[in-house]
Amino acid sequence: MRVQNLRNRVLLINPPHTAIGSRVPREQLPPLGLLAIGGPLLDAGFAVQLLDAEFGPMPLEEIVVQCQRMAPDFVLIGHSGSTSVHVIVVQLCHMLKAALPDLLIVYGGVFPTYHFEDVLNECAAFDIVVRGEGEHTACELMKVLQAGGDLSEVDGIAYRQHGSVFATPAAAMIRNLDDYRVGWELIDHARYSYWGGKRAVVVQFSRGCPYLCSYCGQRGFWTQWRHRDPVKFAKEMAHLAREHGVELINFADELPTGSRKAWKAFLEALIAEDVNLILVGSTRAGDIVRDADILHLYKKAGVIRFLLGIESYDEATLKTIKKGASTSEDQQAIALLRQHGIISMATYVVGFEEETDIDYWRSMRHLLRYDPDQIQMLYVTPHRWTPYFPTVSTRRVIQTDTRKWDYKHQVLETKKVPPWRVLLWVKSIEMILQMRPKALVRTLFSRDRDVAWAMRWYTRMGRRVWFREVFQFFFKDKRTASGPTLEAFWGKSLHHQEYVLSKPKRSQIEIRRVG
């Protein structure tokens, strides 16, 4: 397929999201994925702008008006919460195409990467889908579009031609993450904050994860764990602090601590930069236990909280979902973090199995023994491209509004416990864990000023989210008592396509002929 010669104006759109976590607190973090695309495009000579519609959030009609005013040649759209925001993206892109018929829209992110066939067949507003990480692919695509070249020459994309959907071979994984820079100049840092008004950014030290958790929707997208140069990365964080007043760094990595050597080098380099930064992120309990002798470096570098994926109290369930962890290791990690003045947030997922009331009771007892500083309860949300999906493909879907597929709403039927009682258990566990005497003492009387601030801020935000989720469950959310099976709802499993960036034989594949 050849395309006409177009100019070089690119508009990156971060669409508004409806998830509760995006609206409470009323603070926004920069859209790292779009900024990561924007930097290389700027360096390639394109005129790039960012429209962050999360602020407000901006009504879809206003986004269209702003797009008309900016008059881009290309729109690149994507969001970190790509499954739950997909419906909004579809609606917005239909409106954009109606107002600007000649606009070329490129859609990227995790959801369209795997669902590209459905996306292109079901929504004519999308012209091209970028599959996988986009820094190199987006640049190559824009160059081909600008030159009027052949789309089949660009690896890692999908598009329509003569009524059929075509996918080019998978793009090569970016080996050296330092080859591409984040386009920080596209944002006004003063607009973005987190943690109660602290100027903040989202960053990635690494991509991917070497573990095989069957429910993870991210591992295959990145294909292989890799990290940035620790010293260069520390210098970039220091530059953000000194030049842009950034106070907090939020790691988007699945596993920033994956290499002890690289992570230690980063911590030491950041300490040497002598900047006052707060670091928050996620990791595995095993890495905390492994690093028991260098946790003082975590603290000195500014680490204030790590989220630990506890997932389940049941060793059999952990084995089934291939978590690769043990309950004893989880408990040890929480204790080690506390000894070094670092907050532990435990995430706990309900719904992996057909749970009973006694299972929820045991979960609560288990979490009380763990004694985490903070708790985040989540609902299992099976993605079509994960190995977990086919294991639950016959379970019924009770939430057919995909905007609710955000881990904070129950989406699968539980035959032994009705949804209202699942909610009661989830909200009771959250309340008991956060209001127990130990947690209140840490919140109110911590001698560490940063820990006290973090505990109190999270308690305030958690209280608002707690009441809002309960209200929405009973008065706004709609569920179905006789929904389709998971496979009937989403389609057959795509888990055999989980690894996006693996390199197939060079050939163009016709996926399906429409009509």
Side-chain angles (χ1 to χ4, degrees), residues 351 353-357 360 394-396 398 410 412-419 421-422 481 485:
E353 307 288 346
E354 285 286 2
E355 293 153 330
T356 64
D357 288 300
Y360 291 113
T394 59
R395 286 178 65 177
R396 295 282 174 181
I398 64 169
Q410 183 183 351
L412 292 184
E413 178 187 35
T414 46
K415 293 181 178 179
K416 299 176 182 177
V417 185
R421 209 156 73 230
V422 174
T485 65

Side-chain angles (χ1 to χ4, degrees), residues 62 88-89 128 136 147 149 155 233:
E62 178 61 21
I88 298 168
V89 172
I128 302 168
H136 178 75
D155 287 347
F233 186 68

Side-chain angles (χ1 to χ4, degrees), residues 175-243:
R175 293 287 179 181
N176 183 4
L177 297 178
D178 292 296
D179 284 345
Y180 300 93
R181 69 176 186 88
V182 178
W184 296 117
E185 66 266 46
L186 292 170
I187 64 171
D188 176 0
H189 285 274
R191 299 184 72 198
Y192 294 92
S193 65
Y194 186 56
W195 217 251
K198 296 188 181 298
R199 191 171 294 190
V201 294
V202 182
V203 302
Q204 271 189 325
F205 175 58
S206 67
R207 289 180 177 176
C209 181
Y211 294 91
L212 300 175
C213 305
S214 65
Y215 57 87
C216 178
Q218 293 285 330
R219 179 188 68 242
F221 182 81
W222 301 118
T223 300
Q224 181 178 316
W225 190 86
R226 348 147 242 142
H227 64 83
R228 289 189 53 185
D229 180 277
V231 175
K232 290 180 180 178
F233 186 68
K235 288 184 180 299
E236 183 177 344
M237 299 306 98
H239 174 80
L240 290 170
R242 295 187 184 113
E243 301 301 321

Side-chain angles (χ1 to χ4, degrees), residues 214-453:
S214 65
Y215 57 87
C216 178
Q218 293 285 330
R219 179 188 68 242
F221 182 81
W222 301 118
T223 300
Q224 181 178 316
W225 190 86
R226 348 147 242 142
H227 64 83
R228 289 189 53 185
D229 180 277
V231 175
K232 290 180 180 178
F233 186 68
K235 288 184 180 299
E236 183 177 344
M237 299 306 98
H239 174 80
L240 290 170
R242 295 187 184 113
E243 301 301 321
H244 299 288
V246 170
E247 302 169 272
L248 184 139
I249 304 294
N250 189 344
F251 285 82
D253 310 36
E254 286 75 35
L255 192 65
T257 58
S259 163
R260 173 185 163 99
K261 179 181 178 181
W263 180 247
K264 182 173 181 285
F266 161 69
L267 294 174
E268 291 172 338
L270 189 60
I271 291 168
E273 291 288 344
D274 193 25
V275 289
N276 186 22
L277 282 171
I278 296 171
L279 310 182
V280 298
S282 305
T283 191
R284 289 176 62 91
D287 284 10
I288 298 300
V289 174
R290 177 202 70 195
D291 290 349
D293 62 322
I294 61 169
L295 287 177
H296 64 285
L297 295 179
Y298 283 52
K299 182 67 174 179
K300 190 173 182 180
V303 174
I304 191 64
R305 186 184 77 184
F306 258 131
L307 181 151
L308 303 174
I310 303 302
E311 322 304 17
S312 176
Y313 76 90
D314 184 64
E315 294 283 1
T317 298
L318 292 174
K319 184 177 180 180
T320 298
I321 63 176
K322 299 181 180 180
K323 176 66 179 177
S326 68
T327 55
S328 60
E329 196 173 56
D330 293 337
Q331 193 166 4
Q332 187 179 357
I334 290 170
L336 283 168
L337 288 174
R338 181 167 298 127
Q339 290 171 18
H340 290 84
I342 301 172
I343 295 169
S344 62
M345 171 184 275
T347 61
Y348 197 84
V349 182
V350 300
F352 279 123
E353 307 288 346
E354 285 286 2
E355 293 153 330
T356 64
D357 288 300
I358 192 64
D359 290 318
Y360 291 113
W361 170 257
R362 288 171 178 164
S363 293
M364 183 178 68
R365 295 287 301 271
H366 178 73
L367 287 167
L368 286 169
R369 285 195 300 272
Y370 272 16
D371 191 27
D373 297 307
Q374 297 173 351
I375 182 72
Q376 185 177 73
M377 300 291 291
L378 303 173
Y379 298 90
V380 68
T381 306
H383 294 298
R384 190 178 170 192
W385 56 89
T386 64
Y388 178 71
F389 185 94
T391 70
V392 291
S393 61
T394 59
R395 286 178 65 177
R396 295 282 174 181
V397 172
I398 64 169
Q399 181 52 263
T400 57
D401 182 354
T402 58
R403 293 174 299 177
K404 308 296 184 184
W405 285 61
D406 58 1
Y407 299 93
K408 296 298 289 179
H409 295 82
Q410 183 183 351
V411 299
L412 292 184
E413 178 187 35
T414 46
K415 293 181 178 179
K416 299 176 182 177
V417 185
W420 69 265
R421 209 156 73 230
V422 174
L423 179 83
L424 180 62
W425 275 114
V426 166
K427 295 292 121 185
S428 296
I429 292 171
E430 288 177 343
M431 180 185 293
I432 290 168
L433 264 291
Q434 292 300 147
M435 298 300 292
R436 71 196 193 282
K438 286 182 179 180
L440 291 175
V441 168
R442 292 169 195 146
T443 300
L444 298 173
F445 303 110
S446 174
R447 295 179 181 178
D448 186 315
R449 184 176 61 181
D450 291 334
V451 169
W453 173 274

